[in-house]
Amino acid sequence: MSGLNVTLGYFLAVVVFGAAFRTLFRKWPRLSVAAEFPASFVLVACWLEVQTIKEVGEWAGGLGPDVTLTILFLVLLTHGVICAGATGNPSLTLMNFLLLETHTLPTLLALAAQFLGAHLALLGAGYYWALELNDMHMIKNLMSRECSTALRVSLVQGVISECVCAFIFYLIYLSLKRRSALIRVPLVAAVLTFFSHSASDYTMAFLNPSLAYGLTFYCPGFTFTEYSVVYWLGPIFGMTLALLLYMGHIPRIFTKNLLYSQKTRFRVPKGEGDKKK
């Protein structure tokens, strides 16, 4: 139980850090793009600990798969609450760009902040594991250089898995985008948890390029380019297809609706047409 208390303390420290940065950036609206840094940092830092629990928690701390899934859901739920307005997800940032909701420079700055947050979260987690505060972290520290990759299938299968999962997820996300946060945040957290569990034998379905960068790019087994194809191009392509199917076009590229015909808002009643005749 002491091992779980250490993990919960780590989660609390990361969340407080992220919330403090979010509060700081709210005072300067011009730096709103920088809010993507803590959003990405919190997500990657917490998911790294969840990944540790999944890998060694069952036989080092007695923490089974049910505990891992519960913690992952709570992490995603908390992230959605404290990082409202920031995604920490390059795919969502690019989606907003394609929807004409953001301009080029803010989009590029947001992407840079997301990957910077992911990289610093990886470094911070490595320092935290090196403290070896419990048996689970001691084992994780010993095997940190020999981590197991999340990509457990071929390159083609990995791309297809990430693309299909991203396509389904972003269709759901788009349908929930205008809903209340009380409905949207828990549902998004539940869907991401489900995909992560369902695709655990394939790619883990991160659906987030910066998250994948922080969690699996440093693991041996595949090159940086191969990881990029699966975890960057796969989700982005799936997101683009979902946007095209949902909207009928991509506003940044096409002005004309390619899939759905525009229906007239107002219809002339049949009676009035007959009277004019």
Side-chain angles (χ1 to χ4, degrees):
M1 193 65 183
S2 59
L4 184 58
N5 290 335
V6 171
T7 295
L8 293 177
Y10 169 78
F11 285 142
L12 180 61
V14 171
V15 168
V16 170
F17 172 80
F21 261 80
R22 285 284 296 160
T23 303
L24 181 65
F25 288 134
R26 283 177 181 174
K27 295 181 180 180
W28 292 282
R30 293 182 179 180
L31 298 177
S32 59
V33 173
E36 292 294 340
F37 167 76
S40 180
F41 180 89
V42 170
L43 182 61
V44 175
C46 290
W47 204 308
L48 280 167
E49 184 68 358
V50 173
Q51 192 176 53
T52 300
I53 297 173
K54 181 180 179 180
E55 290 176 352
V56 299
E58 189 168 0
W59 51 279
L63 305 176
D66 55 336
V67 176
T68 304
L69 286 176
T70 302
I71 293 177
L72 178 59
F73 172 75
L74 293 176
V75 163
L76 292 170
L77 183 63
T78 304
H79 179 267
V81 172
I82 69 169
C83 297
T87 64
N89 187 338
S91 295
L92 285 174
T93 300
L94 290 175
M95 175 186 285
N96 293 334
F97 176 74
L98 294 176
L99 287 171
L100 301 177
E101 295 180 1
T102 57
H103 299 291
T104 303
L105 182 59
T107 298
L108 293 176
L109 292 175
L111 293 175
Q114 288 162 350
F115 280 100
L116 177 62
H119 187 70
L120 292 181
L122 179 59
L123 296 178
Y127 175 78
Y128 164 66
W129 294 330
L131 297 176
E132 298 184 357
L133 299 178
N134 55 32
D135 294 340
M136 184 171 61
H137 294 149
M138 181 181 66
I139 297 171
K140 179 64 178 180
N141 190 43
L142 290 174
M143 59 184 291
S144 59
R145 294 182 180 179
E146 300 296 332
C147 64
S148 57
T149 177
L151 182 55
R152 300 179 181 179
V153 292
S154 67
L155 198 64
V156 175
Q157 290 175 318
V159 172
I160 293 174
S161 175
E162 284 290 304
C163 182
V164 171
C165 290
F167 175 75
I168 298 172
F169 169 73
Y170 287 112
L171 275 180
I172 297 173
Y173 180 86
L174 285 166
S175 65
L176 296 173
K177 193 173 182 181
R178 304 299 179 186
R179 297 294 183 91
S180 168
L182 292 175
I183 299 174
R184 185 182 69 255
V185 173
L187 284 178
V188 168
V191 171
L192 287 174
T193 303
F194 170 77
F195 276 126
S196 177
H197 176 67
S198 300
S200 59
D201 293 331
Y202 298 92
T203 61
M204 289 294 294
F206 294 128
L207 312 182
N208 182 331
S210 60
L211 177 64
Y213 168 78
L215 263 62
T216 199
F217 271 46
Y218 62 96
C219 294
F222 295 90
T223 65
F224 185 91
T225 302
E226 290 172 334
Y227 278 129
S228 300
V229 169
V230 174
Y231 290 107
W232 291 0
L233 296 185
I236 292 173
F237 187 66
M239 175 273 294
T240 307
L241 287 178
L243 183 60
L244 179 62
L245 180 63
Y246 184 83
M247 298 284 295
H249 72 301
I250 299 175
R252 178 69 63 177
I253 303 174
F254 306 107
T255 56
K256 182 180 179 181
N257 198 305
L258 303 176
L259 300 181
Y260 311 117
S261 60
Q262 298 290 335
K263 295 182 179 180
T264 55
R265 268 189 177 181
F266 306 102
R267 296 180 179 178
V268 179
K270 293 181 179 180
E272 292 186 9
D274 296 336
K275 290 179 181 178
K276 289 180 180 180
K277 289 180 180 179

